[in-house]
Amino acid sequence: MSRLDTLREARSSISVQFMDFIKAVSRHRDILVCFFEGDDEKYFSIRINSILPEIKWTGINCKGKKNVTSLRDKISSHSQYKSSLVAFFIDNDFGDDVIDNEEDFYITPTYAVENFYSNVEAFKNIITAEFGMSEFCSETNDFETAVSIFKDRLNEYCNIMLAFNIWIKSHRIIEKSTDDKSKQLNLNNLKIEDLVSISLTEVTAVYDCGNVSSLFPNSFSVTPEQYADSELYFSQSEKSLEELLRGKQQLEFLRVFLVQLREERSKKVSTVFTRKTLVKLQLSKANVHSELSQYAITPSCLIEYLSKFKCAA
C-alpha cells in the first residue's frame, strides 16, 4: 500500500472508528463495544444499562449505516479481534438494504429509532410523567382528551406524509442503481414546516402531495411505475404507517405537537384542559432524543438481542 493510500485509509470514517474500537478492547479486554449509525446511543444507552447492568460497554458513532456493516465485516474477519464482544445497531429504513449476517445486528422493526418515540404508547408515558395527567387519576378526562387529540393528529400526519415517503423510497432505489451521485437527496436541511402545518386541532399539508419532486429540484425523475412499486411496500405491510414512515420527520412532528400541548397546558384558562400545570420539558430540537428517551418504547426484539450478551460476557 502506498503512502497516499495509507493516508486516504486513515482519513476514512471506518478507519477512525476501527481505531476507536481497538483502543477500547486494548484497555478493557471484556468490554462490549456497541456500534451505532449516528446519535442513536441517546436512545440505546439507558436500555443497555438496564438490560446489561453488569457489563462494561462503550458506544461508537459510525456516522452511517454502511460504516456499521463495514465495521462488522472488518472485525469478524480480523484474526485478532473477531472474538471481541461487539454489538451493531442499524435502522431498517424502507427495508431495501440487503444485510449479510443479520443475526449479528439489531435492526429496528420500524423505519428508525425515532419511531420508538412517536407513537401512542410513548406519548402516554410522556404526558403521565411530564404533563401531570394520568388515566388513573382524578383528571382522567384531561388524559383521555390529550391522547385522543394526539391519535387524531398522528393519523392526519401519517396520511399526509405517505406520498412523501413513497416518493423518497422510490428515489432511494434509483440512487442505489446509478453511479450518478449529483442527484442524491439531502434531507437534513428539510424542515417539518416545509412539509406540514401542525396544531392541536389539525395537521395540514404544506408540500404538494401530488408533486413531491418540487421539494427537490435537482432530483431523479420517478416514474409512475416506480412510484406504484414503492406504494405496495406501505399498502401491503402488516405494520402501521407510524412504524413505516421516516423517523426523523415523525419525531419532529411529536416535538412540535408537544410544544403546543405544553403551551395549552400552561394556560390559566384552557379550552382543552381542566387545570393549569407547569411543564418543565425543554423540547429543543437538538436534545429531544435525550430528553424523551426514557419515555420511548423498548421493543421485545431489542431486549432479546441485548440479552444474548449476558451469556457472552
Side-chain angles (χ1 to χ4, degrees):
M1 181 182 291
S2 68
R3 182 173 180 273
L4 181 58
D5 289 336
T6 302
L7 290 173
R8 284 173 178 167
E9 182 177 353
R11 285 196 297 267
S12 72
S13 179
I14 186 174
S15 292
V16 172
Q17 317 313 324
F18 187 68
M19 287 303 299
D20 289 342
F21 160 72
I22 292 175
K23 290 177 184 177
V25 297
S26 297
R27 294 175 183 175
H28 302 281
R29 179 181 173 185
D30 297 324
I31 195 171
L32 169 64
V33 182
C34 299
F35 296 88
F36 305 105
E37 282 192 38
D39 294 330
D40 292 344
E41 185 174 344
K42 295 175 181 178
Y43 167 82
F44 286 109
S45 60
I46 61 174
R47 289 155 180 89
I48 297 173
N49 290 333
S50 175
I51 298 168
L52 303 173
E54 305 299 325
I55 293 182
K56 184 177 183 62
W57 69 278
T58 188
I60 294 178
N61 182 338
C62 299
K63 305 185 186 305
K65 184 176 186 177
K66 185 177 180 181
N67 287 338
V68 177
T69 58
S70 296
L71 281 160
R72 181 267 165 205
D73 294 341
K74 187 177 182 69
I75 293 169
S76 63
S77 62
H78 197 289
S79 59
Q80 184 175 352
Y81 299 113
K82 62 183 180 181
S83 298
S84 300
L85 205 56
V86 289
F88 305 92
F89 301 83
I90 58 176
D91 292 334
N92 183 58
D93 298 330
F94 289 125
D96 295 322
D97 297 315
V98 177
I99 306 297
D100 295 327
N101 305 103
E102 276 194 16
E103 66 277 5
D104 290 342
F105 297 87
Y106 176 70
I107 305 175
T108 58
T110 56
Y111 180 95
V113 165
E114 288 87 352
N115 299 75
F116 295 157
Y117 294 73
S118 49
N119 55 76
V120 175
E121 183 180 345
F123 177 77
K124 289 180 179 179
N125 294 338
I126 294 168
I127 63 172
T128 298
E130 301 288 351
F131 284 74
M133 57 181 86
S134 167
E135 60 183 319
F136 302 114
C137 72
S138 58
E139 295 184 10
T140 300
N141 288 342
D142 279 0
F143 177 87
E144 292 177 347
T145 297
V147 172
S148 177
I149 292 172
F150 178 72
K151 285 181 178 179
D152 289 344
R153 298 297 82 78
L154 178 61
N155 184 59
E156 290 171 352
Y157 168 85
C158 289
N159 289 333
I160 289 170
M161 290 296 291
L162 178 58
F164 173 82
N165 279 263
I166 293 172
W167 189 89
I168 294 296
K169 175 175 168 59
S170 302
H171 200 278
R172 290 302 193 206
I173 293 173
I174 297 172
E175 289 177 13
K176 293 174 183 177
S177 68
T178 179
D179 293 328
D180 183 1
K181 307 301 181 185
S182 65
K183 296 183 179 181
Q184 284 191 345
L185 301 180
N186 180 3
L187 303 180
N188 293 332
N189 296 326
L190 191 64
K191 299 177 181 179
I192 193 70
E193 53 264 32
D194 296 328
L195 301 169
V196 291
S197 174
I198 303 164
S199 72
L200 296 184
T201 56
E202 65 176 350
V203 177
T204 56
V206 173
Y207 81 104
D208 185 350
C209 301
N211 185 24
V212 182
S213 61
S214 61
L215 291 167
F216 309 99
N218 184 37
S219 60
F220 293 111
S221 176
V222 174
T223 67
E225 292 76 19
Q226 290 169 326
Y227 186 91
D229 286 343
S230 294
E231 190 173 15
L232 290 176
Y233 170 75
F234 298 93
S235 62
Q236 295 182 350
S237 176
E238 295 180 356
K239 297 179 180 179
S240 63
L241 281 181
E242 68 189 56
E243 296 174 287
L244 298 173
L245 300 184
R246 281 181 50 83
K248 283 185 171 56
Q249 280 87 34
Q250 199 160 297
L251 178 59
E252 181 62 2
F253 155 77
L254 172 67
R255 187 191 70 82
V256 173
F257 181 87
L258 288 174
V259 168
Q260 298 194 16
L261 196 70
R262 180 186 63 189
E263 293 174 356
E264 187 65 34
R265 186 67 168 168
S266 301
K267 292 179 179 178
K268 289 183 178 180
V269 179
S270 169
T271 58
V272 177
F273 300 119
T274 59
R275 73 176 178 89
K276 174 183 177 182
T277 299
L278 177 63
V279 180
K280 296 182 179 180
L281 283 176
Q282 296 300 307
L283 297 172
S284 69
K285 189 173 183 179
N287 293 320
V288 66
H289 280 87
S290 300
E291 191 174 27
L292 299 182
S293 177
Q294 61 185 313
Y295 306 121
I297 64 170
T298 304
S300 58
C301 56
L302 175 57
I303 298 173
E304 180 181 349
Y305 177 80
L306 290 174
S307 294
K308 70 181 183 180
F309 294 101
K310 292 179 180 179
C311 300

